[in-house]
Amino acid sequence: MPSIDEFFPPAILFEDTIFQIDRIWIIRVVAMIFLLTVFVVAARRAKLVPGRFQGAIEMILDFVRVQIAEEILGKVNARRFVPMLTTIFLAILVFNLTGVIPFLNMAGTARIGLPLVLALWVFVTYWWVGIRQHGLGGYLKNNLFPPGIPWPIYLIVTPIEALQILVVRPLSLALRLAANMIAGHIMLVLCFAATQFFLLEAAPALKGIGALTLVGGFAITLFELLVAGLQAYIFALLAAVYISLSLEEEH
């Protein structure tokens, strides 16, 4: 049966240090090497008339640029943030997909550390852009003192707004991603563990249930492919939305 221990496998090297290497760490490295290799090969083989491989890569890049960056930030502002948003989208997509790849079978984003790092990157950028755009005083005023509210209400609203921009938004961004990947992994393990039990260990009258759980496992695998892409899109989209909020005069 799946348990939380699956997300904290035994250390392979450097146990109980910040450099600890375990199975999930290796999965992340494999995913990163794959992603870098794909884009290095694509860059070296780039042609004026793209083939299928180059065309697929360009389609993904155009999707992030047009449907996320330009759609939320506008063409002028999008240019500054397309590299960041593209990196976030592709990294999360590949790390998510490791959850359904044989012999890996664990999403690199299923442990909270990586989603937190990505969320922190987004919000450091969010804060930096806001302060640079409006100055520290203007940024704090825009975020902590929404206009049109009677001043006594600020005693309630301002602490809530501060908590939101410092804790709630970045934490919710990370937790949404990690929770979806954790839930998907547990559902897959349950289906395939149940299949093994019913087919190999259960009474003959129950073996037919194993076929149902096997079909369910493949259905959830397809669903996880959809979730992997959807979560990468949502994370990158929200990153663009938050950066857009920093650029606005009032919100």
Side-chain angles (χ1 to χ4, degrees):
M1 294 296 290
S3 71
I4 196 67
D5 292 338
E6 292 189 46
F7 302 100
F8 299 94
I12 298 173
L13 291 172
F14 312 123
E15 186 173 3
D16 294 329
T17 71
I18 60 173
F19 304 106
Q20 177 172 309
I21 296 175
D22 58 22
R23 182 171 174 272
I24 294 180
W25 187 93
I26 292 174
I27 289 172
R28 290 170 174 172
V29 170
V30 169
M32 179 185 67
I33 291 173
F34 168 79
L35 185 59
L36 291 175
T37 301
V38 166
F39 278 88
V40 167
V41 171
R44 289 183 175 179
R45 295 183 180 180
K47 298 178 181 178
L48 185 61
V49 179
R52 292 182 180 179
F53 175 67
Q54 183 180 338
I57 296 297
E58 290 181 358
M59 183 176 67
I60 295 172
L61 296 178
D62 284 343
F63 172 78
V64 178
R65 178 178 60 81
V66 176
Q67 299 300 324
I68 298 177
E70 292 182 358
E71 182 72 20
I72 302 300
L73 296 164
K75 288 189 176 182
V76 175
N77 289 324
R79 295 174 185 173
R80 299 160 54 191
F81 302 104
V82 164
M84 174 188 177
L85 296 173
T86 302
T87 301
I88 287 173
F89 176 82
L90 290 172
I92 293 175
L93 178 62
V94 173
F95 284 129
N96 286 354
L97 289 174
T98 60
V100 295
I101 295 177
F103 306 110
L104 297 180
N105 301 116
M106 177 67 76
T109 49
R111 198 159 63 189
I112 193 65
L114 181 58
L116 278 176
V117 169
L118 293 172
L120 183 61
W121 182 20
V122 170
F123 277 87
V124 167
T125 304
Y126 167 67
W127 299 322
W128 175 78
V129 168
I131 293 171
R132 185 177 181 184
Q133 179 80 5
H134 308 291
L136 180 59
Y139 175 75
L140 293 177
K141 179 184 177 182
N142 285 347
N143 283 275
L144 302 183
F145 301 94
I149 296 176
W151 72 263
I153 306 300
Y154 285 126
L155 297 175
I156 300 173
V157 171
T158 298
I160 294 174
E161 291 293 329
L163 188 65
Q164 181 171 258
I165 66 173
L166 294 174
V167 178
V168 174
R169 283 180 179 173
L171 192 59
S172 64
L173 196 62
L175 287 176
R176 181 186 296 106
L177 174 57
N180 275 277
M181 294 302 104
I182 291 170
H185 177 78
I186 291 175
M187 291 170 64
L188 285 172
V189 172
L190 281 172
C191 283
F192 289 118
T195 299
Q196 180 181 2
F197 170 78
F198 284 118
L199 292 181
L200 302 179
E201 301 178 28
L206 297 176
K207 291 189 181 295
I209 300 176
L212 294 177
T213 57
L214 181 61
V215 171
F218 283 112
I220 292 175
T221 299
L222 294 176
F223 181 68
E224 278 301 288
L225 291 173
L226 173 64
V227 171
L230 187 61
Q231 288 302 313
Y233 171 72
I234 290 173
F235 198 106
L237 184 70
L238 288 176
V241 169
Y242 292 141
I243 292 171
S244 177
L245 290 175
S246 284
L247 293 170
E248 292 179 1
E249 289 302 322
E250 290 184 353
H251 48 272

